[in-house]
Each structure stands twice: as structure tokens, then as C-alpha cells.
PDB file of all heavy atoms in Angstrom:
ATOM      1  N   GLY A   1    -166.172  89.893 -37.422  1.00  0.00           N
ATOM      2  CA  GLY A   1    -166.539  88.981 -36.370  1.00  0.00           C
ATOM      3  C   GLY A   1    -165.567  87.830 -36.256  1.00  0.00           C
ATOM      4  O   GLY A   1    -164.377  87.887 -36.401  1.00  0.00           O
ATOM      5  N   GLY A   2    -166.235  86.654 -36.055  1.00  0.00           N
ATOM      6  CA  GLY A   2    -165.391  85.558 -35.915  1.00  0.00           C
ATOM      7  C   GLY A   2    -165.055  84.734 -37.151  1.00  0.00           C
ATOM      8  O   GLY A   2    -164.478  83.582 -37.141  1.00  0.00           O
ATOM      9  N   ALA A   3    -165.426  85.220 -38.261  1.00  0.00           N
ATOM     10  CA  ALA A   3    -165.118  84.614 -39.579  1.00  0.00           C
ATOM     11  C   ALA A   3    -163.609  84.363 -39.843  1.00  0.00           C
ATOM     12  O   ALA A   3    -162.824  85.316 -39.509  1.00  0.00           O
ATOM     13  CB  ALA A   3    -165.773  85.358 -40.662  1.00  0.00           C
ATOM     14  N   ALA A   4    -163.262  83.258 -40.326  1.00  0.00           N
ATOM     15  CA  ALA A   4    -161.895  83.089 -40.606  1.00  0.00           C
ATOM     16  C   ALA A   4    -161.369  84.067 -41.635  1.00  0.00           C
ATOM     17  O   ALA A   4    -162.088  84.486 -42.669  1.00  0.00           O
ATOM     18  CB  ALA A   4    -161.691  81.672 -41.357  1.00  0.00           C
ATOM     19  N   GLY A   5    -160.208  84.694 -41.345  1.00  0.00           N
ATOM     20  CA  GLY A   5    -159.690  85.778 -42.257  1.00  0.00           C
ATOM     21  C   GLY A   5    -160.096  87.159 -41.826  1.00  0.00           C
ATOM     22  O   GLY A   5    -159.865  88.092 -42.444  1.00  0.00           O
ATOM     23  N   GLY A   6    -160.926  87.163 -40.804  1.00  0.00           N
ATOM     24  CA  GLY A   6    -161.438  88.547 -40.285  1.00  0.00           C
ATOM     25  C   GLY A   6    -160.549  89.069 -39.151  1.00  0.00           C
ATOM     26  O   GLY A   6    -159.281  88.830 -39.153  1.00  0.00           O
ATOM     27  N   GLY A   7    -161.114  89.590 -38.071  1.00  0.00           N
ATOM     28  CA  GLY A   7    -160.355  90.125 -37.035  1.00  0.00           C
ATOM     29  C   GLY A   7    -159.856  89.057 -35.968  1.00  0.00           C
ATOM     30  O   GLY A   7    -158.810  89.271 -35.361  1.00  0.00           O
ATOM     31  N   SER A   8    -160.753  88.101 -35.821  1.00  0.00           N
ATOM     32  CA  SER A   8    -160.551  87.196 -34.665  1.00  0.00           C
ATOM     33  C   SER A   8    -159.277  86.265 -34.669  1.00  0.00           C
ATOM     34  O   SER A   8    -158.672  85.902 -33.684  1.00  0.00           O
ATOM     35  CB  SER A   8    -161.783  86.283 -34.481  1.00  0.00           C
ATOM     36  OG  SER A   8    -161.912  85.539 -35.504  1.00  0.00           O
ATOM     37  N   ASP A   9    -158.843  86.013 -35.947  1.00  0.00           N
ATOM     38  CA  ASP A   9    -157.722  85.122 -36.100  1.00  0.00           C
ATOM     39  C   ASP A   9    -156.472  85.774 -36.671  1.00  0.00           C
ATOM     40  O   ASP A   9    -155.563  85.129 -37.080  1.00  0.00           O
ATOM     41  CB  ASP A   9    -158.088  83.898 -36.936  1.00  0.00           C
ATOM     42  CG  ASP A   9    -158.469  84.291 -38.413  1.00  0.00           C
ATOM     43  OD1 ASP A   9    -158.511  85.592 -38.642  1.00  0.00           O
ATOM     44  OD2 ASP A   9    -158.645  83.438 -39.250  1.00  0.00           O
ATOM     45  N   MET A  10    -156.430  87.100 -36.579  1.00  0.00           N
ATOM     46  CA  MET A  10    -155.253  87.893 -37.081  1.00  0.00           C
ATOM     47  C   MET A  10    -153.978  87.490 -36.405  1.00  0.00           C
ATOM     48  O   MET A  10    -152.920  87.274 -37.037  1.00  0.00           O
ATOM     49  CB  MET A  10    -155.581  89.323 -36.954  1.00  0.00           C
ATOM     50  CG  MET A  10    -156.735  89.884 -37.830  1.00  0.00           C
ATOM     51  SD  MET A  10    -156.774  91.714 -37.813  1.00  0.00           S
ATOM     52  CE  MET A  10    -155.579  92.152 -38.881  1.00  0.00           C
ATOM     53  N   VAL A  11    -153.996  87.419 -35.019  1.00  0.00           N
ATOM     54  CA  VAL A  11    -152.752  87.132 -34.296  1.00  0.00           C
ATOM     55  C   VAL A  11    -152.198  85.714 -34.793  1.00  0.00           C
ATOM     56  O   VAL A  11    -151.047  85.639 -34.842  1.00  0.00           O
ATOM     57  CB  VAL A  11    -152.927  87.260 -32.853  1.00  0.00           C
ATOM     58  CG1 VAL A  11    -151.762  86.909 -32.071  1.00  0.00           C
ATOM     59  CG2 VAL A  11    -153.308  88.713 -32.494  1.00  0.00           C
ATOM     60  N   ALA A  12    -153.083  84.728 -34.791  1.00  0.00           N
ATOM     61  CA  ALA A  12    -152.789  83.381 -35.188  1.00  0.00           C
ATOM     62  C   ALA A  12    -152.136  83.346 -36.600  1.00  0.00           C
ATOM     63  O   ALA A  12    -151.141  82.674 -36.787  1.00  0.00           O
ATOM     64  CB  ALA A  12    -153.953  82.434 -35.036  1.00  0.00           C
ATOM     65  N   ARG A  13    -152.817  84.114 -37.469  1.00  0.00           N
ATOM     66  CA  ARG A  13    -152.318  84.133 -38.845  1.00  0.00           C
ATOM     67  C   ARG A  13    -150.951  84.836 -38.878  1.00  0.00           C
ATOM     68  O   ARG A  13    -150.093  84.323 -39.636  1.00  0.00           O
ATOM     69  CB  ARG A  13    -153.227  84.694 -39.810  1.00  0.00           C
ATOM     70  CG  ARG A  13    -154.446  83.901 -40.146  1.00  0.00           C
ATOM     71  CD  ARG A  13    -155.371  84.535 -41.174  1.00  0.00           C
ATOM     72  NE  ARG A  13    -156.163  85.629 -40.630  1.00  0.00           N
ATOM     73  CZ  ARG A  13    -156.185  86.889 -41.066  1.00  0.00           C
ATOM     74  NH1 ARG A  13    -155.341  87.208 -42.004  1.00  0.00           N
ATOM     75  NH2 ARG A  13    -156.938  87.765 -40.536  1.00  0.00           N
ATOM     76  N   ALA A  14    -150.802  85.915 -38.150  1.00  0.00           N
ATOM     77  CA  ALA A  14    -149.550  86.607 -38.138  1.00  0.00           C
ATOM     78  C   ALA A  14    -148.373  85.811 -37.622  1.00  0.00           C
ATOM     79  O   ALA A  14    -147.172  85.968 -37.964  1.00  0.00           O
ATOM     80  CB  ALA A  14    -149.637  87.895 -37.310  1.00  0.00           C
ATOM     81  N   ALA A  15    -148.716  84.855 -36.844  1.00  0.00           N
ATOM     82  CA  ALA A  15    -147.634  83.959 -36.192  1.00  0.00           C
ATOM     83  C   ALA A  15    -146.984  83.106 -37.216  1.00  0.00           C
ATOM     84  O   ALA A  15    -145.931  82.423 -36.942  1.00  0.00           O
ATOM     85  CB  ALA A  15    -148.253  83.095 -35.111  1.00  0.00           C
ATOM     86  N   THR A  16    -147.481  82.972 -38.484  1.00  0.00           N
ATOM     87  CA  THR A  16    -146.898  82.160 -39.569  1.00  0.00           C
ATOM     88  C   THR A  16    -145.750  82.969 -40.354  1.00  0.00           C
ATOM     89  O   THR A  16    -145.255  82.453 -41.223  1.00  0.00           O
ATOM     90  CB  THR A  16    -147.934  81.726 -40.499  1.00  0.00           C
ATOM     91  OG1 THR A  16    -148.579  82.792 -41.204  1.00  0.00           O
ATOM     92  CG2 THR A  16    -148.977  80.867 -39.655  1.00  0.00           C
ATOM     93  N   THR A  17    -145.816  84.328 -40.155  1.00  0.00           N
ATOM     94  CA  THR A  17    -144.772  85.198 -40.820  1.00  0.00           C
ATOM     95  C   THR A  17    -143.307  84.905 -40.267  1.00  0.00           C
ATOM     96  O   THR A  17    -143.304  84.348 -39.196  1.00  0.00           O
ATOM     97  CB  THR A  17    -145.076  86.642 -40.699  1.00  0.00           C
ATOM     98  OG1 THR A  17    -144.944  86.973 -39.280  1.00  0.00           O
ATOM     99  CG2 THR A  17    -146.496  86.907 -41.215  1.00  0.00           C
ATOM    100  N   PRO A  18    -142.371  85.260 -41.016  1.00  0.00           N
ATOM    101  CA  PRO A  18    -141.037  85.038 -40.528  1.00  0.00           C
ATOM    102  C   PRO A  18    -140.752  85.723 -39.132  1.00  0.00           C
ATOM    103  O   PRO A  18    -140.046  85.121 -38.336  1.00  0.00           O
ATOM    104  CB  PRO A  18    -140.151  85.593 -41.607  1.00  0.00           C
ATOM    105  CG  PRO A  18    -140.863  85.491 -42.781  1.00  0.00           C
ATOM    106  CD  PRO A  18    -142.354  85.676 -42.407  1.00  0.00           C
ATOM    107  N   LEU A  19    -141.311  86.797 -38.887  1.00  0.00           N
ATOM    108  CA  LEU A  19    -141.115  87.474 -37.527  1.00  0.00           C
ATOM    109  C   LEU A  19    -142.067  86.951 -36.477  1.00  0.00           C
ATOM    110  O   LEU A  19    -141.932  87.288 -35.252  1.00  0.00           O
ATOM    111  CB  LEU A  19    -141.271  88.915 -37.707  1.00  0.00           C
ATOM    112  CG  LEU A  19    -140.154  89.656 -38.424  1.00  0.00           C
ATOM    113  CD1 LEU A  19    -140.459  91.263 -38.278  1.00  0.00           C
ATOM    114  CD2 LEU A  19    -138.839  89.407 -37.860  1.00  0.00           C
ATOM    115  N   ARG A  20    -142.988  86.060 -36.883  1.00  0.00           N
ATOM    116  CA  ARG A  20    -143.864  85.333 -35.967  1.00  0.00           C
ATOM    117  C   ARG A  20    -144.743  86.158 -34.998  1.00  0.00           C
ATOM    118  O   ARG A  20    -145.031  85.800 -33.980  1.00  0.00           O
ATOM    119  CB  ARG A  20    -143.070  84.424 -35.079  1.00  0.00           C
ATOM    120  CG  ARG A  20    -142.204  83.388 -35.881  1.00  0.00           C
ATOM    121  CD  ARG A  20    -143.202  82.288 -36.624  1.00  0.00           C
ATOM    122  NE  ARG A  20    -142.347  81.221 -37.055  1.00  0.00           N
ATOM    123  CZ  ARG A  20    -142.061  81.039 -38.297  1.00  0.00           C
ATOM    124  NH1 ARG A  20    -142.367  81.930 -39.184  1.00  0.00           N
ATOM    125  NH2 ARG A  20    -141.374  79.933 -38.672  1.00  0.00           N
ATOM    126  N   ARG A  21    -145.073  87.249 -35.569  1.00  0.00           N
ATOM    127  CA  ARG A  21    -146.016  88.129 -34.831  1.00  0.00           C
ATOM    128  C   ARG A  21    -146.685  89.160 -35.774  1.00  0.00           C
ATOM    129  O   ARG A  21    -146.203  89.428 -36.875  1.00  0.00           O
ATOM    130  CB  ARG A  21    -145.160  88.941 -33.820  1.00  0.00           C
ATOM    131  CG  ARG A  21    -144.146  90.025 -34.347  1.00  0.00           C
ATOM    132  CD  ARG A  21    -143.611  90.906 -33.239  1.00  0.00           C
ATOM    133  NE  ARG A  21    -142.674  91.935 -33.796  1.00  0.00           N
ATOM    134  CZ  ARG A  21    -143.066  93.107 -34.232  1.00  0.00           C
ATOM    135  NH1 ARG A  21    -144.227  93.506 -34.236  1.00  0.00           N
ATOM    136  NH2 ARG A  21    -142.199  93.931 -34.613  1.00  0.00           N
ATOM    137  N   ALA A  22    -147.757  89.820 -35.231  1.00  0.00           N
ATOM    138  CA  ALA A  22    -148.415  90.892 -35.968  1.00  0.00           C
ATOM    139  C   ALA A  22    -147.658  92.184 -35.765  1.00  0.00           C
ATOM    140  O   ALA A  22    -146.856  92.347 -34.859  1.00  0.00           O
ATOM    141  CB  ALA A  22    -149.903  90.990 -35.468  1.00  0.00           C
ATOM    142  N   GLY A  23    -147.890  93.070 -36.667  1.00  0.00           N
ATOM    143  CA  GLY A  23    -147.311  94.411 -36.587  1.00  0.00           C
ATOM    144  C   GLY A  23    -148.193  95.356 -35.733  1.00  0.00           C
ATOM    145  O   GLY A  23    -149.263  94.969 -35.280  1.00  0.00           O
ATOM    146  N   THR A  24    -147.747  96.534 -35.455  1.00  0.00           N
ATOM    147  CA  THR A  24    -148.423  97.496 -34.695  1.00  0.00           C
ATOM    148  C   THR A  24    -148.650  98.786 -35.521  1.00  0.00           C
ATOM    149  O   THR A  24    -147.931  99.145 -36.503  1.00  0.00           O
ATOM    150  CB  THR A  24    -147.695  97.931 -33.524  1.00  0.00           C
ATOM    151  OG1 THR A  24    -146.481  98.784 -33.834  1.00  0.00           O
ATOM    152  CG2 THR A  24    -147.272  96.752 -32.643  1.00  0.00           C
ATOM    153  N   PRO A  25    -149.751  99.552 -35.318  1.00  0.00           N
ATOM    154  CA  PRO A  25    -149.942 100.752 -35.985  1.00  0.00           C
ATOM    155  C   PRO A  25    -148.843 101.745 -35.940  1.00  0.00           C
ATOM    156  O   PRO A  25    -148.473 102.414 -36.784  1.00  0.00           O
ATOM    157  CB  PRO A  25    -151.218 101.369 -35.339  1.00  0.00           C
ATOM    158  CG  PRO A  25    -151.915 100.139 -34.858  1.00  0.00           C
ATOM    159  CD  PRO A  25    -150.858  99.145 -34.368  1.00  0.00           C
ATOM    160  N   GLU A  26    -148.091 101.707 -34.811  1.00  0.00           N
ATOM    161  CA  GLU A  26    -146.954 102.604 -34.585  1.00  0.00           C
ATOM    162  C   GLU A  26    -145.787 102.320 -35.412  1.00  0.00           C
ATOM    163  O   GLU A  26    -145.106 103.335 -35.803  1.00  0.00           O
ATOM    164  CB  GLU A  26    -146.532 102.583 -33.108  1.00  0.00           C
ATOM    165  CG  GLU A  26    -147.592 103.216 -32.049  1.00  0.00           C
ATOM    166  CD  GLU A  26    -148.893 102.378 -31.897  1.00  0.00           C
ATOM    167  OE1 GLU A  26    -148.827 101.156 -32.155  1.00  0.00           O
ATOM    168  OE2 GLU A  26    -149.889 102.981 -31.508  1.00  0.00           O
ATOM    169  N   GLU A  27    -145.618 101.044 -35.689  1.00  0.00           N
ATOM    170  CA  GLU A  27    -144.563 100.645 -36.685  1.00  0.00           C
ATOM    171  C   GLU A  27    -144.787 101.141 -38.012  1.00  0.00           C
ATOM    172  O   GLU A  27    -143.901 101.534 -38.733  1.00  0.00           O
ATOM    173  CB  GLU A  27    -144.334  99.180 -36.615  1.00  0.00           C
ATOM    174  CG  GLU A  27    -143.705  98.652 -35.192  1.00  0.00           C
ATOM    175  CD  GLU A  27    -143.816  97.143 -35.076  1.00  0.00           C
ATOM    176  OE1 GLU A  27    -144.709  96.492 -35.570  1.00  0.00           O
ATOM    177  OE2 GLU A  27    -142.755  96.620 -34.627  1.00  0.00           O
ATOM    178  N   VAL A  28    -146.111 100.987 -38.475  1.00  0.00           N
ATOM    179  CA  VAL A  28    -146.485 101.581 -39.773  1.00  0.00           C
ATOM    180  C   VAL A  28    -146.295 103.095 -39.852  1.00  0.00           C
ATOM    181  O   VAL A  28    -145.819 103.652 -40.838  1.00  0.00           O
ATOM    182  CB  VAL A  28    -147.888 101.143 -40.153  1.00  0.00           C
ATOM    183  CG1 VAL A  28    -148.272 101.675 -41.533  1.00  0.00           C
ATOM    184  CG2 VAL A  28    -148.029  99.620 -40.176  1.00  0.00           C
ATOM    185  N   ALA A  29    -146.764 103.778 -38.681  1.00  0.00           N
ATOM    186  CA  ALA A  29    -146.809 105.168 -38.621  1.00  0.00           C
ATOM    187  C   ALA A  29    -145.226 105.672 -38.807  1.00  0.00           C
ATOM    188  O   ALA A  29    -144.960 106.687 -39.438  1.00  0.00           O
ATOM    189  CB  ALA A  29    -147.314 105.698 -37.340  1.00  0.00           C
ATOM    190  N   ALA A  30    -144.417 104.970 -38.209  1.00  0.00           N
ATOM    191  CA  ALA A  30    -142.850 105.276 -38.160  1.00  0.00           C
ATOM    192  C   ALA A  30    -142.303 105.296 -39.739  1.00  0.00           C
ATOM    193  O   ALA A  30    -141.650 106.211 -40.219  1.00  0.00           O
ATOM    194  CB  ALA A  30    -142.033 104.403 -37.371  1.00  0.00           C
ATOM    195  N   LEU A  31    -142.839 104.262 -40.457  1.00  0.00           N
ATOM    196  CA  LEU A  31    -142.469 104.127 -41.881  1.00  0.00           C
ATOM    197  C   LEU A  31    -143.082 105.356 -42.714  1.00  0.00           C
ATOM    198  O   LEU A  31    -142.484 105.955 -43.520  1.00  0.00           O
ATOM    199  CB  LEU A  31    -142.876 102.808 -42.476  1.00  0.00           C
ATOM    200  CG  LEU A  31    -142.610 102.660 -43.956  1.00  0.00           C
ATOM    201  CD1 LEU A  31    -141.169 102.756 -44.314  1.00  0.00           C
ATOM    202  CD2 LEU A  31    -143.130 101.221 -44.279  1.00  0.00           C
ATOM    203  N   VAL A  32    -144.284 105.616 -42.445  1.00  0.00           N
ATOM    204  CA  VAL A  32    -145.067 106.752 -43.087  1.00  0.00           C
ATOM    205  C   VAL A  32    -144.263 108.083 -42.864  1.00  0.00           C
ATOM    206  O   VAL A  32    -143.990 108.812 -43.720  1.00  0.00           O
ATOM    207  CB  VAL A  32    -146.531 106.854 -42.631  1.00  0.00           C
ATOM    208  CG1 VAL A  32    -147.071 108.143 -43.246  1.00  0.00           C
ATOM    209  CG2 VAL A  32    -147.303 105.652 -43.060  1.00  0.00           C
ATOM    210  N   ALA A  33    -143.890 108.237 -41.570  1.00  0.00           N
ATOM    211  CA  ALA A  33    -143.209 109.548 -41.191  1.00  0.00           C
ATOM    212  C   ALA A  33    -141.899 109.645 -42.057  1.00  0.00           C
ATOM    213  O   ALA A  33    -141.553 110.687 -42.535  1.00  0.00           O
ATOM    214  CB  ALA A  33    -142.940 109.581 -39.725  1.00  0.00           C
ATOM    215  N   PHE A  34    -141.147 108.524 -42.096  1.00  0.00           N
ATOM    216  CA  PHE A  34    -139.846 108.507 -42.858  1.00  0.00           C
ATOM    217  C   PHE A  34    -140.184 108.885 -44.354  1.00  0.00           C
ATOM    218  O   PHE A  34    -139.375 109.740 -44.878  1.00  0.00           O
ATOM    219  CB  PHE A  34    -139.136 107.118 -42.704  1.00  0.00           C
ATOM    220  CG  PHE A  34    -138.171 106.967 -43.745  1.00  0.00           C
ATOM    221  CD1 PHE A  34    -136.886 107.615 -43.712  1.00  0.00           C
ATOM    222  CD2 PHE A  34    -138.293 106.089 -44.870  1.00  0.00           C
ATOM    223  CE1 PHE A  34    -135.920 107.457 -44.592  1.00  0.00           C
ATOM    224  CE2 PHE A  34    -137.253 105.866 -45.743  1.00  0.00           C
ATOM    225  CZ  PHE A  34    -136.095 106.600 -45.699  1.00  0.00           C
TER     226      PHE A  34
END
């Protein structure tokens, strides 16, 4: 739900990474396929 560290603030937390964004399932899938 809305708890900190759950799903609601994922995009905000991801913005603190060097790439400044969240990843996508498709990006992970591409790595798995490789």
C-alpha cells in the first residue's frame, strides 16, 4: 500500500540512483534472455 518502502514510493526512491529512474520488467527480461 502506501507504506514507505512499499510500492507507492518506488519511483521516487528510484530517482536517487545514478540513472535517476526505475527499471522496467523488459530490461530485466533482456538480461535473463542473454
Side-chain angles (χ1 to χ4, degrees):
S8 62
D9 62 352
M10 292 183 81
V11 173
R13 286 184 285 119
T16 67
T17 66
L19 290 186
R20 300 293 193 260
R21 68 172 178 87
T24 68
E26 289 72 24
E27 289 170 323
V28 179
L31 176 58
V32 172
F34 165 72

